[in-house]
């Protein structure tokens, strides 16, 4: 269990000690989709540590929730809520009178193989799923809706070295791979429509490429595969020249950014959540992990499914000034976050 690992406990304790207006959450009820995901897992642990809220951890598979949150089942502040965001019976959910005050929508397909094997689900969780949750939130008169978005909405940079929240890059919508970034763009536009028409309070944290010990062990993103190679002390398999440069964010820091956007951010605003201290190429990251594992980097051509799901973006550096202005600061850079991730996972797998 993550919560039994001291390094992970330290991360949770640090987040729970952030100087945030936690009193806003006293006695509140939170519906969290994607609760068993990389970000959702740590967010649940932090909120359970605070102990001043009730969490409805929503998901399609109770088995996944039992594996990640077995210590919380039976706790009055935690309840697993069977829910497929694409098939929500809004009327039925309203009839249950859950008394939800906040909705955090973090459910989404998030890695390349999922994009390739479930392209419809990849787009619909961010469009239909978001619509269903917004409708429920509107009718339930919630206080704030948090739509967890992604760096993917920026598409391919147009020669720019970095970008803020107003940037808009190129996405070729006539590809299967476009489902995820276009779905996030549409989800954000839908949020703005609900703000305009229904005066809902909505904020949008945009996550960079995140990694950390709570990631899925079968995650097909390059960084995740590198990390698992490092955990198993294997050669690092690089399926390109490794030239792309992206902003990354250690999962606990991403949760911290989400908390700042949620509790302090301004309605209608998007906030880049990224570590900008050092921008490493994929090859540099692979070589660093290989060094930690005492192994080497080897090159391999991706198969058709992997290639179809991979992003064609070669540079994605997110400026985080706007979130920093709220008081957020990442605790780990890429090197320290990678090292910590490997140390935690070696104690679990």
């Amino acid at each position: 269990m993550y919560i039994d690992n001291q390094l992970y406990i330290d991360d949770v304790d640090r987040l729970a000690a952030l100087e945030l207006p936690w009193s806003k959450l006293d006695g509140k009820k939170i519906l969290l989709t994607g609760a068993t995901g990389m970000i959702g897992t740590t967010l649940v642990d932090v909120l359970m540590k605070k102990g001043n809220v009730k969490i409805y951890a929503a998901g399609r598979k109770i088995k996944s929730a039992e594996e990640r949150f077995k210590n919380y089942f039976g706790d009055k502040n935690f309840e697993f809520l069977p829910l497929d965001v694409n098939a929500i019976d809004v009327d039925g959910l309203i009839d249950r009178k859950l008394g939800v005050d906040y909705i955090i929508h973090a459910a989404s397909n998030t890695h390349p193989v999922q994009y390739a094997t479930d392209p419809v689900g990849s787009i619909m969780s961010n469009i239909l799923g978001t619509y269903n949750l917004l409708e429920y939130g509107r009718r339930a008169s919630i206080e704030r809706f948090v739509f967890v978005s992604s760096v993917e909405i920026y598409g391919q940079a147009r020669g720019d070295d970095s970008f803020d929240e107003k940037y808009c890059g190129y996405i070729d919508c006539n590809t299967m791979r476009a489902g995820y970034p276009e779905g996030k763009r549409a989800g954000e536009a839908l949020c703005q429509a609900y703000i305009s028409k229904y005066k809902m309070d909505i904020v949008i944290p945009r996550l960079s490429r995140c990694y950390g010990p709570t990631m899925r062990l079968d995650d097909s993103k390059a960084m995740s595969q590198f990390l698992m190679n490092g955990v198993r002390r294997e050669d690092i398999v690089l399926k390109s020249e490794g030239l792309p440069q992206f902003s990354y964010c250690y999962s606990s820091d991403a949760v911290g950014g989400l908390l700042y956007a949620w509790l302090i951010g301004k309605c209608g605003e998007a906030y880049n959540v990224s570590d900008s201290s050092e921008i490493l190429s994929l090859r540099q990251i692979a070589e660093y992990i290989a060094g930690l594992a005492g192994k080497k980097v080897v090159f391999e051509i991706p198969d058709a499914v992997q290639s179809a799901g991979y992003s064609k973006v070669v540079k994605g550096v997110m400026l985080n000034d706007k979130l920093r202005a709220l008081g957020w600061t990442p605790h780990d850079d890429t090197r320290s976050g990678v090292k910590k991730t490997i140390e935690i996972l070696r104690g679990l797998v």
Side-chain angles (χ1 to χ4, degrees):
M1 289 291 292
Y2 303 100
I3 204 65
D4 297 326
N5 182 284
Q6 190 57 54
L7 286 173
Y8 182 73
I9 291 171
D10 291 343
D11 281 339
V12 171
D13 288 346
R14 175 176 53 77
L15 290 171
L18 290 173
E19 294 184 3
L20 288 166
W22 295 106
S23 60
K24 286 184 177 182
L25 303 182
D26 287 344
K28 302 297 185 179
K29 295 179 180 179
I30 299 159
L31 171 59
L32 171 63
T33 70
T36 60
M38 174 167 48
I39 303 303
T41 295
T42 300
L43 182 57
V44 169
D45 288 333
V46 172
L47 294 176
M48 290 299 290
K49 174 79 175 180
K50 297 299 292 186
N52 60 337
V53 300
K54 175 161 185 177
I55 304 166
Y56 291 108
R60 290 177 294 181
K61 299 177 182 177
I62 190 171
K63 182 179 178 181
S64 298
E66 288 174 337
E67 289 173 352
R68 294 228 166 181
F69 306 126
K70 66 179 182 181
N71 292 352
Y72 302 144
F73 275 77
D75 191 301
K76 63 180 177 62
N77 286 334
F78 180 91
E79 182 178 334
F80 175 72
L81 186 66
L83 197 69
D84 179 346
V85 297
N86 291 341
I88 294 175
D89 175 3
V90 176
D91 288 334
L93 205 53
I94 290 290
D95 289 343
R96 292 186 62 177
K97 294 180 171 58
L98 298 176
V100 171
D101 299 291
Y102 295 97
I103 295 175
I104 301 173
H105 182 22
S108 181
N109 287 348
T110 58
H111 65 96
V113 168
Q114 286 182 319
Y115 304 153
T117 59
D118 184 21
V120 175
S122 295
I123 190 170
M124 294 309 286
S125 63
N126 292 304
I127 299 178
L128 179 58
T130 303
Y131 168 75
N132 288 336
L133 289 164
L134 283 167
E135 271 298 286
Y136 170 65
R138 176 183 69 83
R139 292 176 58 184
S141 299
I142 65 169
E143 295 183 27
R144 170 162 274 195
F145 188 100
V146 181
F147 179 58
V148 181
S149 191
S150 166
V151 61
E152 293 270 359
I153 67 104
Y154 293 113
Q156 296 185 43
R158 300 167 297 184
D160 304 87
D161 291 332
S162 56
F163 41 78
D164 62 14
E165 288 81 357
K166 294 297 184 183
Y167 189 80
C168 190
Y170 171 74
I171 297 175
D172 181 356
C173 64
N174 290 307
T175 64
M176 176 278 298
R177 177 59 175 73
Y180 181 72
E182 293 285 21
K184 286 294 187 186
R185 279 189 176 182
E188 289 198 20
L190 192 57
C191 288
Q192 296 297 339
Y194 268 74
I195 292 170
S196 176
K197 184 171 183 177
Y198 300 116
K199 310 306 178 187
M200 283 185 68
D201 188 334
I202 304 172
V203 69
I204 304 170
R206 287 179 185 155
L207 304 186
S208 59
R209 286 166 172 79
C210 297
Y211 65 93
T214 51
M215 68 186 192
R216 287 179 47 156
L217 301 186
D218 64 346
D219 191 322
S220 56
K221 290 193 289 290
M223 171 68 101
S224 302
Q225 293 186 60
F226 296 169
L227 287 165
M228 292 310 299
N229 290 145
V231 168
R232 294 188 288 256
R233 293 185 171 87
E234 301 169 341
D235 288 339
I236 308 302
V237 181
L238 190 58
K239 298 187 177 183
S240 70
E241 293 183 60
L243 301 179
Q245 292 181 301
F246 305 124
S247 292
Y248 291 92
C249 197
Y250 180 60
S251 54
S252 291
D253 284 328
V255 171
L258 187 156
L259 286 166
Y260 270 88
W262 172 19
L263 298 176
I264 302 178
K266 182 181 177 182
C267 174
E269 295 295 320
Y271 295 89
N272 284 344
V273 184
S274 66
D275 166 41
S276 58
S277 59
E278 182 180 20
I279 305 301
L280 302 174
S281 68
L282 278 177
R283 182 164 187 161
Q284 288 174 311
I285 292 170
E287 290 170 344
Y288 176 67
I289 294 174
L292 292 176
K295 294 294 180 177
K296 63 181 182 298
V297 175
V298 296
F299 296 86
E300 179 181 302
I301 298 174
D303 62 35
V305 172
Q306 292 169 329
S307 181
Y310 287 160
S311 171
K312 302 302 186 287
V313 177
V314 296
K315 195 156 191 176
V317 180
M318 303 167 73
L319 298 174
N320 59 19
D321 301 33
K322 190 172 175 182
L323 188 61
R324 283 180 177 271
L326 298 182
W328 175 81
T329 303
H331 180 268
D332 284 284
D333 60 19
T334 303
R335 294 178 193 273
S336 65
V338 160
K339 187 172 185 293
K340 190 190 298 185
T341 298
I342 291 173
E343 290 176 3
I344 293 173
L345 286 177
R346 279 180 180 163
L348 296 174
V349 300

